[in-house]
Amino acid sequence: MSLSEMSPFKRLLSGVAVAAIAVTLAACSDEKKDAASNAPATETTETAAKTEVKPADGGSMMAATKTEVKPVDGTMTSSTMSSAMKPATADANQTQMAQAAAPAKVELPEVQGEVDVAKLMEPGPLPEMSIGKADAPVTIVEYMSMTCPHCARFHNETFDAIKAKYVDSGKVRFVVREFPFDPRAAAAFMLARCAPEGQYFPMVSMLFKQQETWAAAPNGRDALLQMSKLAGFTQESFEACLTNQKLLDDVQATMQKGEKDFGVKATPTFFINGKQYSGEMSVDTMSALIETML
């Protein structure tokens, strides 16, 4: 039976849905697990910046600067130090401290392909879900799955910072497109689409933050119903959304178009001004990529 021939309710209640989640956890951009290694870069840098550096002789730099030096005439002055000579240990330590404070260089991820931006931005089966200025110099299109843990980590740990730094400042337009790997992800996308106007992104954010509570729950329908009620759904509106066959077909068509026309194979997949990258990104990594295009 094809996905379109099986109602979302039946698929949510079936054991196949839970099995599909397990497959998703493996298929969801597992080829890019190393992308997460970029995240600790800032923490490492901050730790290094706080390292206390002491002169080679074991004393403090404050003590070294107060050392009195006897001039040629034999008198002792406290000001000679500043005008004559400085201990070599002070210079060495200042250099070490400057190096420690310097930000770590971010290694940019490999470009996996490039698509025509005009074709990428052509209208699809569903209205575009985007935030940011339409004429922003950088456009990011993300294909994601709601049951993908890599997508959840990106949206929980990176997305808000990128929004505040680049979207809100008018530098980036961010577009989200559905790429559900399993029936439960498709149902979650449908509910986000059925949320009140302007609530798509908040609904997506809530579902990602609570992903563990519903994505692999034994009863997917009840778990999603509870999440939906937090967003203002009633029992009736919840059921009406998940029995909307056209909406389900359009969500699937969005995924198929991404795969066929743009070569999307894993989630998350990002197109940044047409350049394709797969795998979750840290704030530093995505910021570095954006900066190269501004």
Side-chain angles (χ1 to χ4, degrees), residues 3 12 14 64 88 114 183 195 235 241 263:
L3 187 62
L12 280 171
S14 70
E114 190 167 0
Q235 180 85 34
C241 180

Side-chain angles (χ1 to χ4, degrees), residues 11-216:
R11 285 184 278 104
L12 280 171
L13 293 170
S14 70
V16 176
V18 178
I21 300 295
V23 175
T24 298
L25 300 184
C28 168
S29 193
D30 57 5
E31 64 194 52
K32 286 291 178 180
K33 289 179 181 176
D34 59 340
S37 63
N38 293 321
T42 301
E43 181 180 350
T44 302
T45 302
E46 291 174 353
T47 303
K50 295 177 183 177
T51 302
E52 182 179 358
V53 182
K54 293 185 178 180
D57 60 5
S60 69
M61 290 184 64
M62 288 294 292
T65 59
K66 293 180 181 178
T67 303
E68 291 188 338
V69 179
K70 183 182 293 185
V72 177
D73 60 8
T75 60
M76 295 291 291
T77 67
S78 60
S79 61
T80 308
M81 181 64 196
S82 60
S83 59
M85 62 180 291
K86 190 190 307 183
T89 54
D91 289 334
N93 283 302
Q94 287 178 356
T95 300
Q96 293 176 25
M97 291 174 68
Q99 292 173 344
K105 184 178 180 181
V106 177
E107 184 176 351
L108 299 181
E110 180 183 353
V111 179
Q112 296 188 317
E114 190 167 0
V115 301
D116 178 61
V117 175
K119 184 176 181 181
L120 179 67
M121 302 313 297
E122 289 177 352
L126 288 166
E128 202 81 283
M129 288 298 175
S130 67
I131 54 174
K133 294 173 58 177
D135 60 349
V138 177
T139 296
I140 300 175
V141 177
E142 179 193 4
Y143 282 89
M144 67 184 190
S145 178
M146 291 303 303
T147 52
C148 168
H150 301 282
C151 301
R153 267 199 303 271
F154 172 79
H155 278 266
N156 293 338
E157 300 174 8
T158 299
F159 179 78
D160 286 344
I162 294 299
K163 178 181 179 297
K165 187 175 182 180
Y166 295 105
V167 177
D168 295 346
S169 64
K171 297 177 181 178
V172 166
R173 180 190 183 201
F174 202 105
V175 180
V176 165
R177 291 182 183 166
E178 293 88 347
F179 203 87
F181 274 118
D182 57 81
R184 203 166 291 187
F189 276 130
M190 292 170 71
L191 291 167
R193 287 280 179 177
C194 291
E197 185 175 356
Q199 294 302 304
Y200 178 88
F201 280 90
M203 182 76 172
V204 164
S205 177
M206 180 190 70
L207 289 171
F208 272 141
K209 285 180 171 60
Q210 300 295 326
Q211 189 187 69
E212 293 183 0
T213 68
W214 62 268

Side-chain angles (χ1 to χ4, degrees), residues 189-270:
F189 276 130
M190 292 170 71
L191 291 167
R193 287 280 179 177
C194 291
E197 185 175 356
Q199 294 302 304
Y200 178 88
F201 280 90
M203 182 76 172
V204 164
S205 177
M206 180 190 70
L207 289 171
F208 272 141
K209 285 180 171 60
Q210 300 295 326
Q211 189 187 69
E212 293 183 0
T213 68
W214 62 268
N219 190 321
R221 176 187 179 280
D222 286 352
L224 277 175
L225 176 59
Q226 294 306 312
M227 293 292 101
S228 299
K229 285 183 176 180
L230 295 176
F233 281 77
T234 64
Q235 180 85 34
E236 293 73 20
S237 61
F238 173 81
E239 293 179 0
C241 180
L242 291 187
T243 53
N244 186 335
Q245 187 62 48
K246 183 180 185 308
L247 177 57
L248 175 61
D249 292 342
D250 288 344
V251 167
Q252 293 298 322
T254 300
M255 176 181 181
Q256 292 161 5
K257 182 177 176 64
E259 182 177 11
K260 179 182 177 181
D261 294 352
F262 309 121
V264 179
K265 303 294 183 184
T267 58
T269 289
F270 301 95

